[in-house]
Coordinates of all heavy atoms in Angstrom, one line a residue:
M1 N 98.7 99.9 91.9 CA 99.8 100.1 91.0 C 99.5 101.2 90.1 O 98.4 101.4 89.6 CB 100.1 98.8 90.2 CG 101.3 98.9 89.4 SD 101.7 97.4 88.4 CE 101.6 96.1 89.6
I2 N 100.5 102.1 90.0 CA 100.3 103.3 89.1 C 101.4 103.2 88.0 O 102.6 103.2 88.4 CB 100.4 104.6 89.9 CG1 99.4 104.6 91.0 CG2 100.3 105.8 88.9 CD1 99.6 105.7 92.0
T3 N 101.1 103.1 86.8 CA 102.1 103.0 85.7 C 102.1 104.2 84.9 O 101.1 104.7 84.4 CB 101.8 101.7 84.9 OG1 101.7 100.6 85.7 CG2 102.8 101.5 83.8
G4 N 103.3 104.7 84.7 CA 103.6 105.9 83.8 C 104.4 105.4 82.6 O 104.6 104.3 82.4
E5 N 104.9 106.4 81.9 CA 105.7 106.1 80.7 C 107.0 105.4 81.0 O 107.4 104.5 80.3 CB 105.9 107.4 79.9 CG 104.7 108.0 79.3 CD 105.0 109.2 78.4 OE1 106.1 109.3 77.8 OE2 104.1 110.1 78.3
S6 N 107.7 105.8 82.1 CA 109.0 105.3 82.3 C 109.1 104.6 83.7 O 110.1 103.9 83.9 CB 110.1 106.3 82.2 OG 109.8 107.4 83.0
V7 N 108.1 104.8 84.6 CA 108.2 104.2 85.9 C 106.8 103.7 86.3 O 105.8 104.1 85.8 CB 108.7 105.2 87.0 CG1 110.2 105.6 86.7 CG2 107.8 106.3 87.2
T8 N 106.9 102.7 87.3 CA 105.7 102.2 87.9 C 105.8 102.4 89.4 O 106.9 102.1 90.0 CB 105.5 100.7 87.5 OG1 105.3 100.6 86.1 CG2 104.3 100.1 88.2
L9 N 104.8 102.8 90.0 CA 104.7 102.8 91.5 C 103.9 101.6 91.9 O 102.8 101.4 91.4 CB 104.0 104.1 92.0 CG 104.6 105.4 91.5 CD1 103.9 106.6 92.1 CD2 106.1 105.5 91.8
R10 N 104.5 100.8 92.8 CA 103.8 99.5 93.1 C 104.2 99.2 94.6 O 105.1 99.8 95.2 CB 104.3 98.4 92.2 CG 105.8 98.2 92.3 CD 106.2 96.8 91.8 NE 107.6 96.7 91.7 CZ 108.5 96.4 92.7 NH1 108.0 96.3 93.9 NH2 109.8 96.2 92.5
P11 N 103.4 98.3 95.2 CA 103.8 97.8 96.5 C 105.2 97.2 96.6 O 105.6 96.6 95.6 CB 102.7 96.8 96.9 CG 101.6 97.1 96.0 CD 102.2 97.6 94.7
F12 N 105.8 97.4 97.7 CA 107.1 96.7 97.8 C 106.9 95.2 97.8 O 105.9 94.7 98.3 CB 107.8 97.1 99.2 CG 108.6 98.3 99.0 CD1 108.1 99.6 99.1 CD2 110.0 98.2 98.7 CE1 108.8 100.7 99.0 CE2 110.8 99.4 98.6 CZ 110.2 100.6 98.7
E13 N 107.9 94.5 97.3 CA 107.9 93.0 97.2 C 109.2 92.5 97.9 O 110.2 93.2 98.1 CB 107.9 92.5 95.8 CG 106.8 93.1 95.0 CD 106.9 92.8 93.5 OE1 108.0 92.4 93.0 OE2 105.9 93.1 92.8
A14 N 109.1 91.2 98.3 CA 110.3 90.6 99.0 C 111.5 90.7 98.1 O 112.6 90.8 98.6 CB 110.0 89.1 99.3
S15 N 111.3 90.7 96.8 CA 112.5 90.7 95.9 C 113.2 92.1 95.9 O 114.2 92.3 95.3 CB 112.0 90.4 94.5 OG 111.0 91.3 94.0
D16 N 112.6 93.1 96.5 CA 113.1 94.4 96.6 C 114.2 94.6 97.7 O 114.8 95.6 97.8 CB 112.1 95.5 96.8 CG 111.1 95.5 95.7 OD1 111.5 95.3 94.5 OD2 109.9 95.8 95.9
V17 N 114.5 93.5 98.4 CA 115.5 93.6 99.5 C 116.8 94.0 98.9 O 117.5 94.8 99.6 CB 115.6 92.2 100.3 CG1 116.8 92.1 101.1 CG2 114.3 92.0 101.1
G18 N 117.2 93.5 97.8 CA 118.4 93.9 97.2 C 118.6 95.4 97.0 O 119.6 96.0 97.2
A19 N 117.5 96.0 96.5 CA 117.5 97.5 96.3 C 117.6 98.2 97.6 O 118.3 99.3 97.7 CB 116.2 97.9 95.6
V20 N 117.0 97.7 98.7 CA 117.1 98.3 100.0 C 118.6 98.1 100.5 O 119.2 99.1 101.0 CB 116.2 97.7 101.1 CG1 116.4 98.3 102.4 CG2 114.7 97.9 100.6
L21 N 119.2 97.0 100.3 CA 120.6 96.8 100.7 C 121.5 97.8 99.9 O 122.4 98.3 100.5 CB 121.0 95.3 100.4 CG 120.4 94.3 101.3 CD1 120.8 92.9 100.8 CD2 120.9 94.5 102.7
E22 N 121.2 98.0 98.7 CA 122.0 99.0 97.9 C 121.8 100.4 98.5 O 122.8 101.2 98.6 CB 121.6 98.9 96.5 CG 122.5 99.8 95.6 CD 122.1 99.7 94.1 OE1 121.5 98.7 93.7 OE2 122.4 100.6 93.4
A23 N 120.6 100.7 98.9 CA 120.4 102.0 99.5 C 121.1 102.3 100.8 O 121.4 103.4 101.1 CB 118.9 102.2 99.6
T24 N 121.4 101.2 101.5 CA 122.1 101.4 102.8 C 123.6 101.9 102.6 O 124.1 102.5 103.5 CB 122.3 100.0 103.6 OG1 123.1 99.1 102.8 CG2 120.9 99.4 103.8
T25 N 124.1 101.8 101.3 CA 125.4 102.2 101.1 C 125.5 103.7 100.8 O 126.6 104.3 100.8 CB 126.1 101.5 99.9 OG1 125.3 101.8 98.7 CG2 126.0 100.0 100.1
D26 N 124.4 104.4 100.6 CA 124.4 105.8 100.4 C 124.4 106.5 101.8 O 123.5 106.2 102.6 CB 123.1 106.2 99.6 CG 123.1 107.7 99.3 OD1 123.1 108.5 100.3 OD2 123.0 108.0 98.1
P27 N 125.3 107.4 102.1 CA 125.4 107.9 103.4 C 124.2 108.8 103.8 O 123.8 108.9 105.0 CB 126.6 108.8 103.4 CG 127.0 109.0 102.0 CD 126.4 107.9 101.2
L28 N 123.4 109.4 102.8 CA 122.3 110.2 103.1 C 121.0 109.5 103.3 O 120.2 109.8 104.2 CB 122.2 111.3 102.0 CG 121.1 112.3 102.3 CD1 121.4 113.1 103.5 CD2 121.0 113.2 101.1
I29 N 120.8 108.4 102.5 CA 119.5 107.8 102.6 C 119.1 107.3 104.0 O 118.0 107.5 104.5 CB 119.4 106.6 101.5 CG1 119.4 107.2 100.1 CG2 118.2 105.7 101.7 CD1 119.5 106.2 99.0
P30 N 120.0 106.6 104.7 CA 119.6 106.1 106.1 C 119.4 107.3 107.0 O 118.7 107.1 108.0 CB 120.8 105.2 106.5 CG 121.4 104.8 105.2 CD 121.2 105.9 104.3
L31 N 119.9 108.4 106.8 CA 119.8 109.6 107.6 C 118.4 110.2 107.5 O 117.9 110.7 108.5 CB 120.8 110.7 107.4 CG 122.2 110.4 107.8 CD1 123.2 111.5 107.3 CD2 122.3 110.2 109.3
I32 N 117.8 110.1 106.3 CA 116.5 110.8 106.1 C 115.3 109.9 105.9 O 114.2 110.3 105.6 CB 116.6 111.8 104.9 CG1 117.0 111.1 103.6 CG2 117.6 112.9 105.2 CD1 116.9 112.0 102.4
T33 N 115.6 108.6 105.9 CA 114.5 107.6 105.8 C 114.6 106.5 106.8 O 115.5 106.6 107.7 CB 114.7 106.9 104.4 OG1 115.8 106.0 104.4 CG2 114.8 107.9 103.2
S34 N 113.8 105.5 106.8 CA 113.9 104.4 107.7 C 114.7 103.2 107.1 O 114.6 102.1 107.7 CB 112.5 104.0 108.2 OG 111.7 103.5 107.1
V35 N 115.4 103.4 106.0 CA 116.3 102.4 105.5 C 117.4 102.2 106.5 O 118.0 103.2 107.0 CB 116.9 102.9 104.1 CG1 118.0 102.0 103.7 CG2 115.8 102.9 103.0
P36 N 117.7 101.0 106.8 CA 118.8 100.7 107.8 C 120.1 101.2 107.3 O 120.4 101.4 106.1 CB 118.8 99.2 107.9 CG 118.0 98.6 106.8 CD 117.2 99.7 106.2
D37 N 121.0 101.6 108.3 CA 122.3 102.1 107.9 C 123.4 101.0 107.8 O 124.5 101.2 107.7 CB 122.8 103.1 108.9 CG 122.9 102.6 110.3 OD1 122.6 101.4 110.6 OD2 123.2 103.4 111.2
T38 N 122.9 99.7 107.9 CA 123.8 98.5 107.8 C 123.2 97.6 106.7 O 122.0 97.4 106.7 CB 123.8 97.8 109.2 OG1 124.2 98.7 110.2 CG2 124.7 96.6 109.1
A39 N 124.1 97.1 105.9 CA 123.7 96.2 104.8 C 123.4 94.8 105.4 O 124.3 94.0 105.4 CB 124.8 96.2 103.7
D40 N 122.3 94.7 106.0 CA 121.9 93.4 106.6 C 120.5 93.0 106.0 O 119.6 93.7 106.0 CB 121.7 93.7 108.1 CG 121.3 92.4 108.9 OD1 120.1 92.1 108.8 OD2 122.1 91.9 109.6
S41 N 120.5 91.7 105.5 CA 119.3 91.2 104.8 C 118.1 91.2 105.7 O 117.0 91.5 105.2 CB 119.6 89.8 104.2 OG 120.6 89.9 103.3
K42 N 118.2 90.9 106.9 CA 117.1 90.9 107.9 C 116.5 92.3 108.1 O 115.3 92.5 108.1 CB 117.4 90.2 109.2 CG 117.7 88.7 109.1 CD 118.0 88.1 110.4 CE 118.2 86.6 110.2 NZ 118.5 85.9 111.5
L43 N 117.4 93.2 108.2 CA 117.0 94.6 108.4 C 116.3 95.1 107.2 O 115.3 95.9 107.2 CB 118.2 95.5 108.8 CG 118.8 95.2 110.2 CD1 120.0 96.1 110.4 CD2 117.8 95.4 111.3
A44 N 116.9 94.8 106.0 CA 116.3 95.2 104.7 C 114.9 94.6 104.6 O 114.0 95.3 104.1 CB 117.2 94.8 103.6
A45 N 114.7 93.3 104.9 CA 113.4 92.7 104.8 C 112.4 93.3 105.8 O 111.2 93.5 105.4 CB 113.6 91.2 105.1
A46 N 112.9 93.7 106.9 CA 112.0 94.4 107.9 C 111.6 95.7 107.3 O 110.4 96.1 107.5 CB 112.8 94.6 109.2
F47 N 112.5 96.4 106.6 CA 112.1 97.7 106.0 C 111.0 97.4 105.0 O 110.0 98.2 105.0 CB 113.3 98.3 105.3 CG 112.9 99.5 104.4 CD1 112.9 100.8 104.9 CD2 112.6 99.3 103.1 CE1 112.5 101.9 104.1 CE2 112.3 100.4 102.3 CZ 112.2 101.7 102.8
V48 N 111.1 96.4 104.1 CA 110.1 96.1 103.2 C 108.7 95.8 103.9 O 107.7 96.3 103.5 CB 110.5 94.9 102.3 CG1 109.3 94.4 101.5 CG2 111.7 95.3 101.4
G49 N 108.8 95.1 105.0 CA 107.6 94.8 105.8 C 106.9 96.0 106.3 O 105.7 96.1 106.3
R50 N 107.8 96.9 106.8 CA 107.2 98.2 107.3 C 106.4 99.0 106.3 O 105.5 99.7 106.6 CB 108.3 99.1 108.0 CG 108.8 98.6 109.3 CD 109.6 99.6 110.0 NE 110.8 100.1 109.2 CZ 112.0 99.5 109.1 NH1 112.2 98.4 109.8 NH2 112.9 100.1 108.4
Q51 N 106.9 98.9 105.1 CA 106.2 99.7 104.0 C 104.7 99.2 103.9 O 103.8 100.0 103.6 CB 106.9 99.6 102.7 CG 108.4 100.0 102.8 CD 108.7 101.2 103.7 OE1 108.2 102.3 103.4 NE2 109.4 100.9 104.7
H52 N 104.4 97.9 104.0 CA 103.1 97.4 104.0 C 102.3 97.9 105.2 O 101.1 98.1 105.1 CB 103.1 95.9 103.8 CG 103.7 95.4 102.6 ND1 103.0 95.3 101.4 CD2 105.0 95.1 102.3 CE1 103.8 94.9 100.4 NE2 105.0 94.8 101.0
E53 N 102.9 98.0 106.3 CA 102.2 98.4 107.5 C 101.7 99.8 107.5 O 100.8 100.2 108.2 CB 103.1 98.2 108.8 CG 103.5 96.7 109.0 CD 104.5 96.6 110.1 OE1 104.8 97.6 110.8 OE2 105.1 95.5 110.2
R54 N 102.4 100.7 106.8 CA 102.0 102.1 106.7 C 100.6 102.3 106.3 O 99.9 103.1 107.0 CB 103.0 102.9 105.8 CG 104.4 102.8 106.4 CD 105.3 103.6 105.5 NE 106.7 103.4 105.8 CZ 107.4 103.9 106.8 NH1 106.7 104.7 107.7 NH2 108.6 103.7 107.0
A55 N 100.1 101.6 105.3 CA 98.7 101.8 104.9 C 97.8 101.2 105.9 O 96.7 101.7 106.2 CB 98.5 101.2 103.5
V56 N 98.1 100.0 106.4 CA 97.3 99.4 107.4 C 97.1 100.2 108.7 O 96.0 100.2 109.2 CB 97.9 98.0 107.8 CG1 97.1 97.3 108.9 CG2 97.9 97.1 106.6
T57 N 98.1 100.9 109.1 CA 98.0 101.7 110.3 C 97.5 103.1 110.1 O 97.3 103.9 111.0 CB 99.4 101.8 111.0 OG1 100.3 102.4 110.1 CG2 99.9 100.4 111.5
G58 N 97.4 103.5 108.8 CA 96.9 104.8 108.5 C 97.9 105.9 108.5 O 97.6 107.1 108.4
V59 N 99.2 105.5 108.5 CA 100.3 106.5 108.5 C 100.5 107.0 107.1 O 100.8 108.2 107.0 CB 101.6 105.8 109.0 CG1 102.8 106.7 108.8 CG2 101.5 105.4 110.5
G60 N 100.2 106.2 106.1 CA 100.4 106.7 104.8 C 100.6 105.6 103.8 O 100.2 104.4 104.1
Y61 N 101.1 105.9 102.6 CA 101.3 104.9 101.6 C 102.7 105.0 101.1 O 103.2 106.0 100.8 CB 100.3 105.2 100.4 CG 98.9 105.2 100.9 CD1 98.3 106.4 101.3 CD2 98.2 104.0 101.0 CE1 96.9 106.3 101.8 CE2 96.9 104.0 101.5 CZ 96.3 105.1 101.9 OH 95.0 105.1 102.3
S62 N 103.3 103.8 101.0 CA 104.7 103.7 100.5 C 104.7 102.9 99.2 O 104.1 101.8 99.2 CB 105.6 103.1 101.6 OG 106.9 103.0 101.1
F63 N 105.4 103.4 98.2 CA 105.5 102.7 97.0 C 106.9 102.5 96.5 O 107.8 103.4 96.7 CB 104.8 103.5 95.9 CG 103.3 103.8 96.1 CD1 102.9 105.0 96.7 CD2 102.4 102.8 95.8 CE1 101.6 105.2 96.9 CE2 101.0 103.1 96.0 CZ 100.6 104.3 96.6
A64 N 107.2 101.3 96.0 CA 108.4 101.1 95.3 C 108.4 101.7 93.9 O 107.3 101.7 93.3 CB 108.7 99.6 95.1
V65 N 109.4 102.4 93.5 CA 109.5 103.0 92.2 C 110.3 101.9 91.3 O 111.4 101.6 91.6 CB 110.3 104.3 92.2 CG1 110.4 104.9 90.8 CG2 109.6 105.3 93.1
E66 N 109.6 101.5 90.3 CA 110.2 100.5 89.4 C 110.4 101.0 88.0 O 109.6 101.7 87.5 CB 109.2 99.3 89.3 CG 109.6 98.2 88.4 CD 108.6 97.1 88.3 OE1 108.5 96.3 89.3 OE2 107.9 96.9 87.3
S67 N 111.6 100.7 87.5 CA 111.9 101.1 86.1 C 112.6 99.9 85.5 O 113.6 99.4 86.0 CB 112.8 102.3 86.1 OG 113.2 102.7 84.8
G68 N 112.1 99.5 84.3 CA 112.7 98.4 83.6 C 112.7 97.1 84.5 O 113.6 96.4 84.5
S69 N 111.6 96.9 85.2 CA 111.4 95.7 86.0 C 112.3 95.7 87.2 O 112.5 94.6 87.8 CB 111.5 94.4 85.2 OG 110.5 94.4 84.2
V70 N 112.9 96.8 87.6 CA 113.9 96.8 88.7 C 113.4 97.9 89.7 O 113.1 99.0 89.3 CB 115.3 97.1 88.2 CG1 116.3 97.3 89.4 CG2 115.8 96.0 87.3
C71 N 113.5 97.6 91.0 CA 113.2 98.6 92.0 C 114.3 99.6 92.1 O 115.5 99.2 92.3 CB 113.0 98.0 93.4 SG 112.7 99.2 94.7
V72 N 114.0 100.9 91.8 CA 115.1 101.9 91.8 C 114.9 103.0 92.8 O 115.7 103.9 92.9 CB 115.2 102.6 90.4 CG1 115.6 101.6 89.3 CG2 113.9 103.3 90.0
G73 N 113.8 102.8 93.6 CA 113.6 103.9 94.7 C 112.3 103.6 95.4 O 111.6 102.6 95.3
Q74 N 112.0 104.7 96.2 CA 110.8 104.6 97.0 C 110.2 106.0 97.1 O 110.9 107.0 97.0 CB 111.1 104.2 98.5 CG 110.0 104.1 99.4 CD 109.6 105.4 100.2 OE1 110.4 106.3 100.2 NE2 108.5 105.4 100.8
I75 N 108.9 106.1 97.1 CA 108.2 107.4 97.3 C 107.0 107.1 98.2 O 106.4 106.0 98.2 CB 107.7 108.0 95.9 CG1 107.2 109.4 96.1 CG2 106.7 107.1 95.2 CD1 107.1 110.1 94.8
G76 N 106.6 108.1 99.0 CA 105.5 107.9 99.9 C 104.6 109.1 100.0 O 105.0 110.2 99.7
L77 N 103.4 108.8 100.4 CA 102.5 109.9 100.8 C 102.1 109.6 102.3 O 101.6 108.6 102.7 CB 101.2 109.7 100.0 CG 100.0 110.6 100.4 CD1 100.3 112.0 100.2 CD2 98.7 110.2 99.6
W78 N 102.6 110.6 103.1 CA 102.4 110.4 104.6 C 101.3 111.2 105.1 O 101.1 112.4 104.7 CB 103.7 110.8 105.3 CG 104.9 110.2 104.6 CD1 106.0 110.8 104.2 CD2 105.1 108.8 104.3 NE1 106.9 109.9 103.6 CE2 106.3 108.7 103.7 CE3 104.3 107.7 104.5 CZ2 106.8 107.4 103.2 CZ3 104.8 106.4 104.1 CH2 106.1 106.3 103.5
L79 N 100.4 110.7 105.9 CA 99.2 111.3 106.4 C 99.3 111.8 107.8 O 98.3 112.3 108.3 CB 98.1 110.2 106.3 CG 97.9 109.6 104.9 CD1 96.8 108.6 104.9 CD2 97.6 110.7 103.9
R80 N 100.4 111.7 108.4 CA 100.5 112.1 109.9 C 100.1 113.6 110.1 O 99.6 113.9 111.2 CB 101.9 111.8 110.4 CG 103.0 112.6 109.8 CD 104.3 112.3 110.5 NE 105.4 112.9 109.7 CZ 106.2 112.3 108.9 NH1 106.1 111.0 108.8 NH2 107.1 112.9 108.3
D81 N 100.3 114.5 109.2 CA 100.0 115.9 109.3 C 98.8 116.3 108.6 O 98.6 117.5 108.2 CB 101.2 116.7 108.9 CG 102.5 116.5 109.8 OD1 102.3 116.3 111.0 OD2 103.6 116.5 109.2
L82 N 97.9 115.3 108.3 CA 96.8 115.6 107.5 C 95.9 116.7 108.1 O 95.3 117.5 107.4 CB 96.0 114.3 107.3 CG 94.9 114.4 106.2 CD1 95.4 114.8 104.9 CD2 94.2 113.0 106.1
D83 N 95.7 116.7 109.4 CA 94.8 117.6 110.1 C 95.4 119.1 109.9 O 94.8 120.0 109.8 CB 94.7 117.4 111.6 CG 94.0 116.1 111.8 OD1 93.2 115.7 111.0 OD2 94.2 115.5 112.9

């Protein structure tokens, strides 16, 4: 967990499914991320699960951006082009 003045970067939690569902309504987010393009709770939960797998598989690190105790976004550090 990384805490700044106004935001915290933390691992995704099951309670972040609502934020993922909200992100599906933005026409651009599903085009440039792995957020599903359909507001489906199971697909949103799968997205949250994939964020944990990224570090385990060495692909990178995905963090939920939290502000005021609410998930407001995602940021990641991807290692695929490290070489």
Side-chain angles (χ1 to χ4, degrees):
M1 186 178 311
I2 302 169
T3 302
E5 289 184 32
S6 59
V7 298
T8 297
L9 304 182
R10 60 162 173 77
F12 272 87
E13 302 169 350
S15 61
D16 297 327
V17 166
V20 177
L21 289 171
E22 186 175 337
T24 67
T25 64
D26 183 299
L28 184 59
I29 291 174
L31 289 176
I32 62 172
T33 70
S34 62
V35 169
D37 61 0
T38 304
D40 178 288
S41 295
K42 288 182 182 179
L43 294 175
F47 171 86
V48 169
R50 284 194 305 276
Q51 304 322 297
H52 296 275
E53 293 172 13
R54 296 182 190 284
V56 173
T57 61
V59 172
Y61 301 92
S62 179
F63 300 97
V65 179
E66 178 180 287
S67 179
S69 300
V70 176
C71 177
V72 296
Q74 181 273 345
I75 191 167
L77 172 64
W78 312 125
L79 305 175
R80 67 178 169 253
D81 297 324
L82 191 59
D83 293 335

